[in-house]
Amino acid sequence: MATIDFKHTPFGELGIISMRGCEDISKKVDNYLMQWRDTPEAGTFIVPVECPRFGSGEAKGVIKHTARGLDVYIICDVFNHGVTYKMYNQVVPMSPDEHYQDLKRIIAALGGKARRITVIMPMLYEGRQHRRTTRESLDSALALQELVSMGVSNILTFDAHDPRIQNAIPLHGFDNVQAAYQMIKALIKAEPDIQLDREHLMFISPDEGGMNRCIYYSSVLGVEMGMFYKRRNYSVVVNGRNPIEAHEFLGNDVAGKDVIIVDDMIASGESMLDIAARLKEKKARRIFAFATFGLFVDGLARFDEFYQKGLIDKIFTTNLVYGDDELLHREWYTRVDMSKYVAYLIDTLNYDNSISELLNPVDRIKKAVAKHREALAQK
């Protein structure tokens, strides 16, 4: 069946709104878009906004440029604890709740004048509170419904903890984007001697919930995979969750192979480090980790310790969430830049074109791997 080649025009003039803490990635996205398009009169696609706060901690959203008729893309990192404000003369780091509230303030300040609003929220607000297991709130579903009720047409997130959360807004746009291609490219650049084949590499999921990510990588690269099962103590709650008593491994022998642990996020890193130690006991060669979001909520000391002991070799996370200078200078850490990818998504959506190819980068991954294998063969 022949496909129709639609000649799309922009849905509206492009406008990018950078929430506090997203200035760096928004500026890079803006630079890419200006390279690909005619630079607007203002010299930028970024619409200036502000959320000033009173001494009591109250705030308001202010748009400093007309947004009438714009196709607006709001970039928001609700996990940026590096952003602070003053309340009762004390410096307070912004929590996810406060970032989310500021996002709603800016949407409210647009006052229905924008032609379309798309929210790019890389790590979904309250994404881990996506299902009910007892008498508890469903925060992520409520947040999505609240955003669309305020006029948001599309929501883009990366590596959602559970993609089924989109069922909360079945009549609105929700795209769950993966960073697989960028992760593979970063791995090849950081470890040019790595062999991406069945004899030398294996992907590991740290739990049953992350199996789909692991299956994707192993299927595209044609390598084996395994997983760990988390045995939890459900009679105790520590820091809002049931503590893990042990990790049980399911999979083939990892001895002598490079291993990549794949997860959506590193919070404390406790599970990932425990799994790394278990894999080393099983004689794995080098241990790498892919995580879209690196939060490192308990600091970096344990990661330093595991690196010095040779229990982990390199951790890859993206620049979609905040990472301080202390993290960026660690030998065991590599930051994966996603700004060009975000720019591609915005550019494509603004023209109302399909982003299917951007969401499924199998061909690009295979091309990058083939090029890498060819380079290794010539050495």
PDB file of all heavy atoms in Angstrom, residues 206 228 247 261 266-281 287 289 296 298-307 311-313 315 332:
ATOM      1  N   PRO A 206      18.296  -5.688  36.665  1.00  0.00           N
ATOM      2  CA  PRO A 206      18.398  -5.794  38.125  1.00  0.00           C
ATOM      3  C   PRO A 206      17.130  -6.302  38.798  1.00  0.00           C
ATOM      4  O   PRO A 206      17.150  -6.628  39.981  1.00  0.00           O
ATOM      5  CB  PRO A 206      18.704  -4.362  38.551  1.00  0.00           C
ATOM      6  CG  PRO A 206      18.102  -3.518  37.491  1.00  0.00           C
ATOM      7  CD  PRO A 206      18.230  -4.293  36.212  1.00  0.00           C
ATOM      8  N   PHE A 228      18.113 -10.430  37.814  1.00  0.00           N
ATOM      9  CA  PHE A 228      18.123 -10.696  39.240  1.00  0.00           C
ATOM     10  C   PHE A 228      16.702 -10.529  39.772  1.00  0.00           C
ATOM     11  O   PHE A 228      15.959  -9.648  39.340  1.00  0.00           O
ATOM     12  CB  PHE A 228      19.063  -9.729  39.966  1.00  0.00           C
ATOM     13  CG  PHE A 228      20.503 -10.151  39.913  1.00  0.00           C
ATOM     14  CD1 PHE A 228      21.299  -9.808  38.833  1.00  0.00           C
ATOM     15  CD2 PHE A 228      21.067 -10.887  40.943  1.00  0.00           C
ATOM     16  CE1 PHE A 228      22.627 -10.193  38.778  1.00  0.00           C
ATOM     17  CE2 PHE A 228      22.393 -11.277  40.897  1.00  0.00           C
ATOM     18  CZ  PHE A 228      23.180 -10.931  39.816  1.00  0.00           C
ATOM     19  N   HIS A 247      19.474 -10.660  46.345  1.00  0.00           N
ATOM     20  CA  HIS A 247      19.256 -10.692  44.906  1.00  0.00           C
ATOM     21  C   HIS A 247      19.581 -12.103  44.404  1.00  0.00           C
ATOM     22  O   HIS A 247      20.680 -12.601  44.633  1.00  0.00           O
ATOM     23  CB  HIS A 247      20.149  -9.676  44.179  1.00  0.00           C
ATOM     24  CG  HIS A 247      19.750  -8.256  44.403  1.00  0.00           C
ATOM     25  ND1 HIS A 247      20.339  -7.454  45.331  1.00  0.00           N
ATOM     26  CD2 HIS A 247      18.810  -7.494  43.797  1.00  0.00           C
ATOM     27  CE1 HIS A 247      19.793  -6.248  45.297  1.00  0.00           C
ATOM     28  NE2 HIS A 247      18.863  -6.246  44.382  1.00  0.00           N
ATOM     29  N   ILE A 261      24.582  -3.741  33.239  1.00  0.00           N
ATOM     30  CA  ILE A 261      23.364  -3.714  34.038  1.00  0.00           C
ATOM     31  C   ILE A 261      22.500  -2.565  33.521  1.00  0.00           C
ATOM     32  O   ILE A 261      22.969  -1.429  33.423  1.00  0.00           O
ATOM     33  CB  ILE A 261      23.679  -3.507  35.530  1.00  0.00           C
ATOM     34  CG1 ILE A 261      24.667  -4.570  36.029  1.00  0.00           C
ATOM     35  CG2 ILE A 261      22.414  -3.530  36.365  1.00  0.00           C
ATOM     36  CD1 ILE A 261      25.243  -4.262  37.399  1.00  0.00           C
ATOM     37  N   ILE A 266      19.168   5.330  38.844  1.00  0.00           N
ATOM     38  CA  ILE A 266      19.973   5.033  40.024  1.00  0.00           C
ATOM     39  C   ILE A 266      19.514   6.009  41.093  1.00  0.00           C
ATOM     40  O   ILE A 266      19.706   7.217  40.955  1.00  0.00           O
ATOM     41  CB  ILE A 266      21.477   5.208  39.754  1.00  0.00           C
ATOM     42  CG1 ILE A 266      21.949   4.223  38.686  1.00  0.00           C
ATOM     43  CG2 ILE A 266      22.275   5.025  41.039  1.00  0.00           C
ATOM     44  CD1 ILE A 266      23.387   4.445  38.255  1.00  0.00           C
ATOM     45  N   ALA A 267      18.868   5.495  42.124  1.00  0.00           N
ATOM     46  CA  ALA A 267      18.461   6.343  43.256  1.00  0.00           C
ATOM     47  C   ALA A 267      19.579   6.314  44.282  1.00  0.00           C
ATOM     48  O   ALA A 267      20.526   7.077  44.194  1.00  0.00           O
ATOM     49  CB  ALA A 267      17.132   5.862  43.820  1.00  0.00           C
ATOM     50  N   SER A 268      19.519   5.402  45.224  1.00  0.00           N
ATOM     51  CA  SER A 268      20.649   5.245  46.159  1.00  0.00           C
ATOM     52  C   SER A 268      21.764   4.444  45.512  1.00  0.00           C
ATOM     53  O   SER A 268      22.933   4.614  45.856  1.00  0.00           O
ATOM     54  CB  SER A 268      20.173   4.545  47.435  1.00  0.00           C
ATOM     55  OG  SER A 268      19.793   3.209  47.159  1.00  0.00           O
ATOM     56  N   GLY A 269      21.416   3.576  44.559  1.00  0.00           N
ATOM     57  CA  GLY A 269      22.409   2.722  43.912  1.00  0.00           C
ATOM     58  C   GLY A 269      22.670   1.428  44.663  1.00  0.00           C
ATOM     59  O   GLY A 269      23.485   0.605  44.232  1.00  0.00           O
ATOM     60  N   GLU A 270      21.962   1.230  45.765  1.00  0.00           N
ATOM     61  CA  GLU A 270      22.181   0.050  46.612  1.00  0.00           C
ATOM     62  C   GLU A 270      22.010  -1.246  45.819  1.00  0.00           C
ATOM     63  O   GLU A 270      22.856  -2.146  45.869  1.00  0.00           O
ATOM     64  CB  GLU A 270      21.204   0.093  47.787  1.00  0.00           C
ATOM     65  CG  GLU A 270      21.237  -1.136  48.682  1.00  0.00           C
ATOM     66  CD  GLU A 270      20.108  -1.138  49.700  1.00  0.00           C
ATOM     67  OE1 GLU A 270      19.404  -0.101  49.828  1.00  0.00           O
ATOM     68  OE2 GLU A 270      19.926  -2.175  50.355  1.00  0.00           O
ATOM     69  N   SER A 271      20.904  -1.355  45.065  1.00  0.00           N
ATOM     70  CA  SER A 271      20.635  -2.572  44.301  1.00  0.00           C
ATOM     71  C   SER A 271      21.690  -2.804  43.234  1.00  0.00           C
ATOM     72  O   SER A 271      22.211  -3.920  43.080  1.00  0.00           O
ATOM     73  CB  SER A 271      19.256  -2.486  43.641  1.00  0.00           C
ATOM     74  OG  SER A 271      18.243  -2.449  44.596  1.00  0.00           O
ATOM     75  N   MET A 272      22.023  -1.760  42.486  1.00  0.00           N
ATOM     76  CA  MET A 272      22.976  -1.902  41.395  1.00  0.00           C
ATOM     77  C   MET A 272      24.351  -2.326  41.901  1.00  0.00           C
ATOM     78  O   MET A 272      25.015  -3.189  41.307  1.00  0.00           O
ATOM     79  CB  MET A 272      23.068  -0.587  40.619  1.00  0.00           C
ATOM     80  CG  MET A 272      23.926  -0.681  39.366  1.00  0.00           C
ATOM     81  SD  MET A 272      23.729   0.763  38.312  1.00  0.00           S
ATOM     82  CE  MET A 272      22.143   0.416  37.558  1.00  0.00           C
ATOM     83  N   LEU A 273      24.798  -1.746  43.011  1.00  0.00           N
ATOM     84  CA  LEU A 273      26.112  -2.086  43.545  1.00  0.00           C
ATOM     85  C   LEU A 273      26.128  -3.503  44.102  1.00  0.00           C
ATOM     86  O   LEU A 273      27.116  -4.233  43.945  1.00  0.00           O
ATOM     87  CB  LEU A 273      26.516  -1.076  44.619  1.00  0.00           C
ATOM     88  CG  LEU A 273      26.770   0.348  44.109  1.00  0.00           C
ATOM     89  CD1 LEU A 273      27.055   1.298  45.266  1.00  0.00           C
ATOM     90  CD2 LEU A 273      27.915   0.378  43.104  1.00  0.00           C
ATOM     91  N   ASP A 274      25.031  -3.910  44.741  1.00  0.00           N
ATOM     92  CA  ASP A 274      24.940  -5.272  45.250  1.00  0.00           C
ATOM     93  C   ASP A 274      25.002  -6.274  44.107  1.00  0.00           C
ATOM     94  O   ASP A 274      25.687  -7.298  44.183  1.00  0.00           O
ATOM     95  CB  ASP A 274      23.652  -5.441  46.051  1.00  0.00           C
ATOM     96  CG  ASP A 274      23.543  -6.819  46.694  1.00  0.00           C
ATOM     97  OD1 ASP A 274      24.578  -7.332  47.163  1.00  0.00           O
ATOM     98  OD2 ASP A 274      22.432  -7.379  46.733  1.00  0.00           O
ATOM     99  N   ILE A 275      24.305  -5.956  43.024  1.00  0.00           N
ATOM    100  CA  ILE A 275      24.311  -6.832  41.850  1.00  0.00           C
ATOM    101  C   ILE A 275      25.701  -6.877  41.217  1.00  0.00           C
ATOM    102  O   ILE A 275      26.175  -7.943  40.802  1.00  0.00           O
ATOM    103  CB  ILE A 275      23.248  -6.351  40.839  1.00  0.00           C
ATOM    104  CG1 ILE A 275      21.857  -6.684  41.364  1.00  0.00           C
ATOM    105  CG2 ILE A 275      23.464  -6.970  39.469  1.00  0.00           C
ATOM    106  CD1 ILE A 275      20.738  -6.025  40.606  1.00  0.00           C
ATOM    107  N   ALA A 276      26.381  -5.732  41.160  1.00  0.00           N
ATOM    108  CA  ALA A 276      27.738  -5.696  40.615  1.00  0.00           C
ATOM    109  C   ALA A 276      28.663  -6.618  41.411  1.00  0.00           C
ATOM    110  O   ALA A 276      29.470  -7.362  40.834  1.00  0.00           O
ATOM    111  CB  ALA A 276      28.264  -4.271  40.622  1.00  0.00           C
ATOM    112  N   ALA A 277      28.546  -6.568  42.731  1.00  0.00           N
ATOM    113  CA  ALA A 277      29.377  -7.432  43.578  1.00  0.00           C
ATOM    114  C   ALA A 277      29.060  -8.908  43.328  1.00  0.00           C
ATOM    115  O   ALA A 277      29.971  -9.747  43.268  1.00  0.00           O
ATOM    116  CB  ALA A 277      29.154  -7.076  45.043  1.00  0.00           C
ATOM    117  N   ARG A 278      27.770  -9.221  43.172  1.00  0.00           N
ATOM    118  CA  ARG A 278      27.377 -10.614  42.908  1.00  0.00           C
ATOM    119  C   ARG A 278      27.913 -11.088  41.562  1.00  0.00           C
ATOM    120  O   ARG A 278      28.341 -12.244  41.424  1.00  0.00           O
ATOM    121  CB  ARG A 278      25.845 -10.719  42.927  1.00  0.00           C
ATOM    122  CG  ARG A 278      25.202 -10.493  44.297  1.00  0.00           C
ATOM    123  CD  ARG A 278      25.414 -11.690  45.226  1.00  0.00           C
ATOM    124  NE  ARG A 278      24.938 -12.917  44.621  1.00  0.00           N
ATOM    125  CZ  ARG A 278      23.654 -13.307  44.614  1.00  0.00           C
ATOM    126  NH1 ARG A 278      22.731 -12.548  45.202  1.00  0.00           N
ATOM    127  NH2 ARG A 278      23.300 -14.437  44.050  1.00  0.00           N
ATOM    128  N   LEU A 279      27.889 -10.212  40.565  1.00  0.00           N
ATOM    129  CA  LEU A 279      28.392 -10.583  39.242  1.00  0.00           C
ATOM    130  C   LEU A 279      29.900 -10.805  39.264  1.00  0.00           C
ATOM    131  O   LEU A 279      30.423 -11.689  38.574  1.00  0.00           O
ATOM    132  CB  LEU A 279      28.027  -9.501  38.221  1.00  0.00           C
ATOM    133  CG  LEU A 279      26.536  -9.403  37.864  1.00  0.00           C
ATOM    134  CD1 LEU A 279      26.248  -8.138  37.072  1.00  0.00           C
ATOM    135  CD2 LEU A 279      26.090 -10.640  37.079  1.00  0.00           C
ATOM    136  N   LYS A 280      30.602 -10.003  40.050  1.00  0.00           N
ATOM    137  CA  LYS A 280      32.045 -10.204  40.189  1.00  0.00           C
ATOM    138  C   LYS A 280      32.353 -11.557  40.847  1.00  0.00           C
ATOM    139  O   LYS A 280      33.328 -12.224  40.491  1.00  0.00           O
ATOM    140  CB  LYS A 280      32.667  -9.066  41.003  1.00  0.00           C
ATOM    141  CG  LYS A 280      33.058  -7.854  40.173  1.00  0.00           C
ATOM    142  CD  LYS A 280      34.145  -8.195  39.168  1.00  0.00           C
ATOM    143  CE  LYS A 280      34.581  -6.976  38.381  1.00  0.00           C
ATOM    144  NZ  LYS A 280      35.609  -7.312  37.345  1.00  0.00           N
ATOM    145  N   GLU A 281      31.513 -11.941  41.806  1.00  0.00           N
ATOM    146  CA  GLU A 281      31.671 -13.255  42.434  1.00  0.00           C
ATOM    147  C   GLU A 281      31.497 -14.370  41.401  1.00  0.00           C
ATOM    148  O   GLU A 281      32.107 -15.440  41.528  1.00  0.00           O
ATOM    149  CB  GLU A 281      30.643 -13.433  43.551  1.00  0.00           C
ATOM    150  CG  GLU A 281      30.897 -12.578  44.781  1.00  0.00           C
ATOM    151  CD  GLU A 281      29.765 -12.681  45.786  1.00  0.00           C
ATOM    152  OE1 GLU A 281      28.829 -13.487  45.565  1.00  0.00           O
ATOM    153  OE2 GLU A 281      29.814 -11.948  46.802  1.00  0.00           O
ATOM    154  N   ILE A 287      32.239  -4.634  34.441  1.00  0.00           N
ATOM    155  CA  ILE A 287      30.836  -4.365  34.756  1.00  0.00           C
ATOM    156  C   ILE A 287      30.526  -2.901  34.469  1.00  0.00           C
ATOM    157  O   ILE A 287      31.149  -1.992  35.036  1.00  0.00           O
ATOM    158  CB  ILE A 287      30.521  -4.703  36.215  1.00  0.00           C
ATOM    159  CG1 ILE A 287      30.723  -6.204  36.448  1.00  0.00           C
ATOM    160  CG2 ILE A 287      29.091  -4.305  36.566  1.00  0.00           C
ATOM    161  CD1 ILE A 287      30.488  -6.647  37.865  1.00  0.00           C
ATOM    162  N   ALA A 289      27.145  -0.018  33.732  1.00  0.00           N
ATOM    163  CA  ALA A 289      25.742   0.207  34.074  1.00  0.00           C
ATOM    164  C   ALA A 289      25.166   1.302  33.196  1.00  0.00           C
ATOM    165  O   ALA A 289      25.797   2.355  33.011  1.00  0.00           O
ATOM    166  CB  ALA A 289      25.603   0.586  35.545  1.00  0.00           C
ATOM    167  N   PHE A 296      21.548   9.501  42.512  1.00  0.00           N
ATOM    168  CA  PHE A 296      22.601   9.363  43.525  1.00  0.00           C
ATOM    169  C   PHE A 296      22.194  10.054  44.831  1.00  0.00           C
ATOM    170  O   PHE A 296      22.910  10.902  45.362  1.00  0.00           O
ATOM    171  CB  PHE A 296      23.927   9.927  42.996  1.00  0.00           C
ATOM    172  CG  PHE A 296      24.409   9.255  41.740  1.00  0.00           C
ATOM    173  CD1 PHE A 296      24.190   9.817  40.480  1.00  0.00           C
ATOM    174  CD2 PHE A 296      25.077   8.038  41.802  1.00  0.00           C
ATOM    175  CE1 PHE A 296      24.623   9.186  39.320  1.00  0.00           C
ATOM    176  CE2 PHE A 296      25.513   7.386  40.639  1.00  0.00           C
ATOM    177  CZ  PHE A 296      25.290   7.969  39.401  1.00  0.00           C
ATOM    178  N   ASP A 298      22.063   9.106  47.875  1.00  0.00           N
ATOM    179  CA  ASP A 298      22.869   8.882  49.077  1.00  0.00           C
ATOM    180  C   ASP A 298      24.336   9.252  48.888  1.00  0.00           C
ATOM    181  O   ASP A 298      25.201   8.824  49.661  1.00  0.00           O
ATOM    182  CB  ASP A 298      22.767   7.406  49.517  1.00  0.00           C
ATOM    183  CG  ASP A 298      21.410   7.066  50.116  1.00  0.00           C
ATOM    184  OD1 ASP A 298      20.688   8.023  50.484  1.00  0.00           O
ATOM    185  OD2 ASP A 298      21.076   5.878  50.206  1.00  0.00           O
ATOM    186  N   GLY A 299      24.621  10.043  47.849  1.00  0.00           N
ATOM    187  CA  GLY A 299      25.998  10.465  47.621  1.00  0.00           C
ATOM    188  C   GLY A 299      26.789   9.465  46.777  1.00  0.00           C
ATOM    189  O   GLY A 299      26.244   8.480  46.268  1.00  0.00           O
ATOM    190  N   LEU A 300      28.088   9.722  46.663  1.00  0.00           N
ATOM    191  CA  LEU A 300      28.939   8.981  45.733  1.00  0.00           C
ATOM    192  C   LEU A 300      29.970   8.093  46.419  1.00  0.00           C
ATOM    193  O   LEU A 300      30.732   7.396  45.743  1.00  0.00           O
ATOM    194  CB  LEU A 300      29.657   9.968  44.806  1.00  0.00           C
ATOM    195  CG  LEU A 300      28.777  10.991  44.087  1.00  0.00           C
ATOM    196  CD1 LEU A 300      29.628  11.959  43.298  1.00  0.00           C
ATOM    197  CD2 LEU A 300      27.770  10.287  43.166  1.00  0.00           C
ATOM    198  N   ALA A 301      30.018   8.118  47.744  1.00  0.00           N
ATOM    199  CA  ALA A 301      31.084   7.428  48.479  1.00  0.00           C
ATOM    200  C   ALA A 301      31.114   5.930  48.176  1.00  0.00           C
ATOM    201  O   ALA A 301      32.188   5.353  47.944  1.00  0.00           O
ATOM    202  CB  ALA A 301      30.923   7.670  49.981  1.00  0.00           C
ATOM    203  N   ARG A 302      29.955   5.272  48.167  1.00  0.00           N
ATOM    204  CA  ARG A 302      29.931   3.825  47.920  1.00  0.00           C
ATOM    205  C   ARG A 302      30.324   3.494  46.493  1.00  0.00           C
ATOM    206  O   ARG A 302      30.975   2.473  46.236  1.00  0.00           O
ATOM    207  CB  ARG A 302      28.543   3.252  48.214  1.00  0.00           C
ATOM    208  CG  ARG A 302      28.218   3.140  49.688  1.00  0.00           C
ATOM    209  CD  ARG A 302      27.171   2.068  49.938  1.00  0.00           C
ATOM    210  NE  ARG A 302      27.693   0.736  49.761  1.00  0.00           N
ATOM    211  CZ  ARG A 302      26.948  -0.338  49.434  1.00  0.00           C
ATOM    212  NH1 ARG A 302      25.650  -0.187  49.222  1.00  0.00           N
ATOM    213  NH2 ARG A 302      27.481  -1.528  49.298  1.00  0.00           N
ATOM    214  N   PHE A 303      29.960   4.356  45.550  1.00  0.00           N
ATOM    215  CA  PHE A 303      30.370   4.138  44.162  1.00  0.00           C
ATOM    216  C   PHE A 303      31.883   4.264  44.039  1.00  0.00           C
ATOM    217  O   PHE A 303      32.522   3.479  43.329  1.00  0.00           O
ATOM    218  CB  PHE A 303      29.666   5.133  43.238  1.00  0.00           C
ATOM    219  CG  PHE A 303      28.197   4.877  43.082  1.00  0.00           C
ATOM    220  CD1 PHE A 303      27.272   5.449  43.942  1.00  0.00           C
ATOM    221  CD2 PHE A 303      27.732   4.046  42.078  1.00  0.00           C
ATOM    222  CE1 PHE A 303      25.921   5.206  43.809  1.00  0.00           C
ATOM    223  CE2 PHE A 303      26.377   3.796  41.926  1.00  0.00           C
ATOM    224  CZ  PHE A 303      25.470   4.378  42.802  1.00  0.00           C
ATOM    225  N   ASP A 304      32.465   5.255  44.727  1.00  0.00           N
ATOM    226  CA  ASP A 304      33.923   5.396  44.746  1.00  0.00           C
ATOM    227  C   ASP A 304      34.575   4.135  45.299  1.00  0.00           C
ATOM    228  O   ASP A 304      35.570   3.634  44.757  1.00  0.00           O
ATOM    229  CB  ASP A 304      34.333   6.601  45.609  1.00  0.00           C
ATOM    230  CG  ASP A 304      33.933   7.927  44.998  1.00  0.00           C
ATOM    231  OD1 ASP A 304      33.739   7.977  43.766  1.00  0.00           O
ATOM    232  OD2 ASP A 304      33.789   8.913  45.747  1.00  0.00           O
ATOM    233  N   GLU A 305      34.010   3.619  46.379  1.00  0.00           N
ATOM    234  CA  GLU A 305      34.556   2.416  47.033  1.00  0.00           C
ATOM    235  C   GLU A 305      34.503   1.207  46.095  1.00  0.00           C
ATOM    236  O   GLU A 305      35.485   0.468  45.956  1.00  0.00           O
ATOM    237  CB  GLU A 305      33.755   2.141  48.311  1.00  0.00           C
ATOM    238  CG  GLU A 305      34.169   0.893  49.057  1.00  0.00           C
ATOM    239  CD  GLU A 305      33.214   0.554  50.193  1.00  0.00           C
ATOM    240  OE1 GLU A 305      32.436   1.449  50.616  1.00  0.00           O
ATOM    241  OE2 GLU A 305      33.233  -0.599  50.641  1.00  0.00           O
ATOM    242  N   PHE A 306      33.370   1.011  45.442  1.00  0.00           N
ATOM    243  CA  PHE A 306      33.228  -0.129  44.532  1.00  0.00           C
ATOM    244  C   PHE A 306      34.152   0.014  43.328  1.00  0.00           C
ATOM    245  O   PHE A 306      34.693  -0.987  42.834  1.00  0.00           O
ATOM    246  CB  PHE A 306      31.767  -0.263  44.075  1.00  0.00           C
ATOM    247  CG  PHE A 306      30.925  -1.108  44.981  1.00  0.00           C
ATOM    248  CD1 PHE A 306      30.734  -0.752  46.316  1.00  0.00           C
ATOM    249  CD2 PHE A 306      30.328  -2.269  44.526  1.00  0.00           C
ATOM    250  CE1 PHE A 306      29.970  -1.530  47.168  1.00  0.00           C
ATOM    251  CE2 PHE A 306      29.560  -3.057  45.365  1.00  0.00           C
ATOM    252  CZ  PHE A 306      29.384  -2.688  46.691  1.00  0.00           C
ATOM    253  N   TYR A 307      34.335   1.244  42.843  1.00  0.00           N
ATOM    254  CA  TYR A 307      35.237   1.463  41.712  1.00  0.00           C
ATOM    255  C   TYR A 307      36.676   1.155  42.104  1.00  0.00           C
ATOM    256  O   TYR A 307      37.417   0.504  41.347  1.00  0.00           O
ATOM    257  CB  TYR A 307      35.104   2.910  41.226  1.00  0.00           C
ATOM    258  CG  TYR A 307      36.053   3.265  40.104  1.00  0.00           C
ATOM    259  CD1 TYR A 307      35.909   2.708  38.840  1.00  0.00           C
ATOM    260  CD2 TYR A 307      37.102   4.167  40.321  1.00  0.00           C
ATOM    261  CE1 TYR A 307      36.785   3.037  37.808  1.00  0.00           C
ATOM    262  CE2 TYR A 307      37.972   4.498  39.301  1.00  0.00           C
ATOM    263  CZ  TYR A 307      37.816   3.931  38.051  1.00  0.00           C
ATOM    264  OH  TYR A 307      38.695   4.249  37.042  1.00  0.00           O
ATOM    265  N   LEU A 311      34.974  -3.421  41.440  1.00  0.00           N
ATOM    266  CA  LEU A 311      33.684  -4.097  41.343  1.00  0.00           C
ATOM    267  C   LEU A 311      32.767  -3.473  40.305  1.00  0.00           C
ATOM    268  O   LEU A 311      31.752  -4.074  39.933  1.00  0.00           O
ATOM    269  CB  LEU A 311      32.993  -4.083  42.716  1.00  0.00           C
ATOM    270  CG  LEU A 311      33.730  -4.841  43.826  1.00  0.00           C
ATOM    271  CD1 LEU A 311      33.015  -4.670  45.153  1.00  0.00           C
ATOM    272  CD2 LEU A 311      33.854  -6.316  43.476  1.00  0.00           C
ATOM    273  N   ILE A 312      33.097  -2.279  39.855  1.00  0.00           N
ATOM    274  CA  ILE A 312      32.333  -1.633  38.794  1.00  0.00           C
ATOM    275  C   ILE A 312      33.295  -0.786  37.976  1.00  0.00           C
ATOM    276  O   ILE A 312      34.250  -0.212  38.512  1.00  0.00           O
ATOM    277  CB  ILE A 312      31.178  -0.790  39.371  1.00  0.00           C
ATOM    278  CG1 ILE A 312      30.166  -0.471  38.272  1.00  0.00           C
ATOM    279  CG2 ILE A 312      31.661   0.478  40.051  1.00  0.00           C
ATOM    280  CD1 ILE A 312      28.787  -0.153  38.783  1.00  0.00           C
ATOM    281  N   ASP A 313      33.084  -0.747  36.648  1.00  0.00           N
ATOM    282  CA  ASP A 313      34.032  -0.063  35.770  1.00  0.00           C
ATOM    283  C   ASP A 313      33.548   1.287  35.261  1.00  0.00           C
ATOM    284  O   ASP A 313      34.305   2.237  35.208  1.00  0.00           O
ATOM    285  CB  ASP A 313      34.367  -0.975  34.578  1.00  0.00           C
ATOM    286  CG  ASP A 313      35.174  -2.189  35.000  1.00  0.00           C
ATOM    287  OD1 ASP A 313      34.549  -3.194  35.406  1.00  0.00           O
ATOM    288  OD2 ASP A 313      36.407  -2.134  34.951  1.00  0.00           O
ATOM    289  N   ILE A 315      29.765   3.869  34.822  1.00  0.00           N
ATOM    290  CA  ILE A 315      28.315   4.091  34.914  1.00  0.00           C
ATOM    291  C   ILE A 315      27.932   5.186  33.920  1.00  0.00           C
ATOM    292  O   ILE A 315      28.565   6.248  33.886  1.00  0.00           O
ATOM    293  CB  ILE A 315      27.902   4.479  36.337  1.00  0.00           C
ATOM    294  CG1 ILE A 315      28.103   3.282  37.285  1.00  0.00           C
ATOM    295  CG2 ILE A 315      26.452   4.941  36.376  1.00  0.00           C
ATOM    296  CD1 ILE A 315      27.819   3.600  38.729  1.00  0.00           C
ATOM    297  N   TRP A 332      34.708   7.011  37.144  1.00  0.00           N
ATOM    298  CA  TRP A 332      33.816   5.905  36.815  1.00  0.00           C
ATOM    299  C   TRP A 332      32.516   6.361  36.147  1.00  0.00           C
ATOM    300  O   TRP A 332      31.650   5.530  35.835  1.00  0.00           O
ATOM    301  CB  TRP A 332      33.469   5.092  38.080  1.00  0.00           C
ATOM    302  CG  TRP A 332      33.065   5.910  39.269  1.00  0.00           C
ATOM    303  CD1 TRP A 332      33.853   6.272  40.309  1.00  0.00           C
ATOM    304  CD2 TRP A 332      31.761   6.470  39.547  1.00  0.00           C
ATOM    305  NE1 TRP A 332      33.141   7.020  41.229  1.00  0.00           N
ATOM    306  CE2 TRP A 332      31.858   7.145  40.794  1.00  0.00           C
ATOM    307  CE3 TRP A 332      30.534   6.445  38.886  1.00  0.00           C
ATOM    308  CZ2 TRP A 332      30.771   7.802  41.372  1.00  0.00           C
ATOM    309  CZ3 TRP A 332      29.454   7.108  39.465  1.00  0.00           C
ATOM    310  CH2 TRP A 332      29.586   7.758  40.682  1.00  0.00           C
TER     311      TRP A 332
END
